[in-house]
Amino acid sequence: MKPASDRRDEGPFIATKEHRRFVEFANTVRRHRYIGLCHGPAGVGKTLSGRRYANWEKAEALRSAWKTRDQSDTSTQAILARSRTVFYTPTVGSPLRELRDDLHRLIGRVSYCIDEGLDNLTVTPSHDGCGLIELIVIDEAERLSNLALEYIRDLFDRSNIGLILVGMPGIEKRMARYPQFYSRVGFSHGYRPLLGDELSFVLTRHWRKLGVTLDEADFTDAQAVAAIARITGGNFRLLYRLFVQIERILRINEMTAITEEVVDAARSTLLIGAT
Ligand SMILES: Nc1ncnc2c1ncn2[C@@H]1O[C@H](COP(=O)(O)OP(=O)(O)O)[C@@H](O)[C@H]1O
Ligand SMILES: [Mg+2]
């Protein structure tokens, strides 16, 4: 059995237009110290964008080696000093105490890393309740209880940070029920699925991974692309799941071309509901 970390082998990060829009949104929230809401359907790439923005892969690696910080990586510290962001995912049904302790610990640790890395940089540290952190991104924000929202609002008021809550469409409506919180929301950002040329770009990579070349001038390819676009709606996660099945069908049938029939056969093995 594969180790848990290898569970999802979904390829390298692609800097999509939506990711760039997210970066621009996060920069604005951070610069103006707003509360921002980011919402979009499951599987479009919100979590990955947030983690990427915070350089969270690197931060996690650094944090897991926390006790041996003598060996900590100065380039990671410098990267964190640029992003100055904490990325946090609350657990399901977590009590307020857990949220408070987790955030406190993450803010402390990342601030400390940044502080250590600042020797190499020319930025002026600003100390307040959140140390050197300028932005907190909370993923799966619908998991936050009312009490947790209240706590976060208080943290936001007491410290000079920006805050982004990431969630499913509809999260704005839920927040609108809490005027205290909602009145602090600077803006709301919709994260969209892949569209048009960008979808073709991602598909070309998938095709290549299967050892096939995508030629949009070829009618069969164009039909297959249209079928994939229709089935997945440009949703990253669905694309990956569909391609796992396409690969399987090609292999079983010893085929080398991705046709509309192959795509439909792949689709029939997947449970694709409303996302
Ligand atoms: N920019 C991207 N580049 C490559 N793969 C991506 C990208 N965005 C999303 N994915 C893929 O789609 C999957 C779902 O993305 P995720 O960020 O978890 O979506 P969401 O948080 O919106 O539900 C990821 O596991 C990843 O494999
Ligand atoms: Mg997510």
Side-chain angles (χ1 to χ4, degrees):
M1 210 170 94
K2 280 185 166 189
S5 56
D6 281 351
R7 238 175 340 124
R8 285 185 245 145
D9 178 17
E10 290 173 345
F13 183 80
I14 303 168
T16 58
K17 265 190 238 151
E18 277 312 297
H19 176 65
R20 271 192 221 110
R21 283 183 65 234
F22 179 88
V23 168
E24 200 259 316
F25 158 71
N27 281 338
T28 313
V29 169
R30 184 175 147 194
R31 190 165 341 111
H32 298 287
R33 309 293 204 258
Y34 282 150
I35 294 181
L37 296 180
C38 170
H39 50 89
V44 290
K46 304 179 299 295
T47 298
L48 219 59
S49 274
R51 287 179 66 88
R52 183 90 177 176
Y53 182 86
N55 289 298
W56 210 239
E57 296 302 316
K58 295 205 166 68
E60 272 176 343
L62 197 62
R63 286 189 295 114
S64 60
W66 186 246
K67 290 200 176 73
T68 55
R69 62 186 166 79
D70 288 348
Q71 299 150 21
S72 58
D73 175 357
T74 49
S75 73
T76 302
Q77 291 166 350
I79 286 169
L80 291 181
R82 273 194 291 277
S83 55
R84 293 181 177 238
T85 302
V86 160
F87 181 88
Y88 180 64
T89 313
T91 52
V92 178
S94 61
L96 179 62
R97 182 176 21 84
E98 183 182 308
L99 172 84
R100 199 180 49 213
D101 294 351
D102 284 352
L103 279 181
H104 185 73
R105 196 179 56 246
L106 289 176
I107 289 168
R109 287 182 175 185
V110 177
S111 282
Y112 187 85
C113 289
I114 295 173
D115 204 20
E116 274 201 319
L118 278 178
D119 295 346
N120 312 322
L121 291 165
T122 52
V123 266
T124 336
S126 66
H127 287 277
D128 60 31
C130 277
L132 296 163
I133 302 301
E134 293 180 353
L135 179 68
I136 300 178
V137 179
I138 301 188
D139 198 19
E140 310 277 2
E142 36 278 292
R143 291 180 183 171
L144 297 172
S145 64
N146 298 353
L147 206 57
L149 280 177
E150 191 58 25
Y151 171 75
I152 288 169
R153 176 177 69 84
D154 182 55
L155 180 72
F156 174 79
D157 283 349
R158 277 186 294 107
S159 52
N160 187 28
I161 50 157
L163 181 68
I164 292 179
L165 299 189
V166 180
M168 299 281 285
I171 190 167
E172 324 93 283
K173 290 211 188 72
R174 179 179 164 208
M175 295 304 158
R177 292 206 294 270
Y178 307 103
Q180 290 273 46
F181 196 94
Y182 203 58
S183 62
R184 288 163 174 80
V185 174
F187 62 100
S188 131
H189 175 87
Y191 203 110
R192 300 174 303 208
L194 295 165
L195 289 172
D197 289 353
E198 206 156 33
L199 179 60
S200 311
F201 173 75
V202 173
L203 289 182
T204 309
R205 296 174 65 118
H206 277 292
W207 247 255
R208 215 181 298 139
K209 233 170 80 186
L210 299 184
V212 197
T213 315
L214 173 63
D215 176 5
E216 278 182 86
D218 180 308
F219 184 66
T220 309
D221 285 3
Q223 259 190 330
V225 168
I228 293 174
R230 196 175 59 241
I231 292 167
T232 64
N235 183 299
F236 253 116
R237 188 173 289 134
L238 288 184
L239 269 179
Y240 281 110
R241 284 172 48 203
L242 189 64
F243 265 89
V244 170
Q245 297 304 323
I246 289 178
E247 186 178 8
R248 209 181 114 241
I249 286 164
L250 290 182
R251 200 178 51 239
I252 294 171
N253 298 295
E254 295 178 9
M255 294 167 78
T256 51
I258 303 170
T259 62
E260 191 179 358
E261 290 71 38
V262 170
V263 175
D264 281 338
R267 186 219 187 282
S268 67
T269 65
L270 286 180
L271 274 174
I272 299 182
T275 55

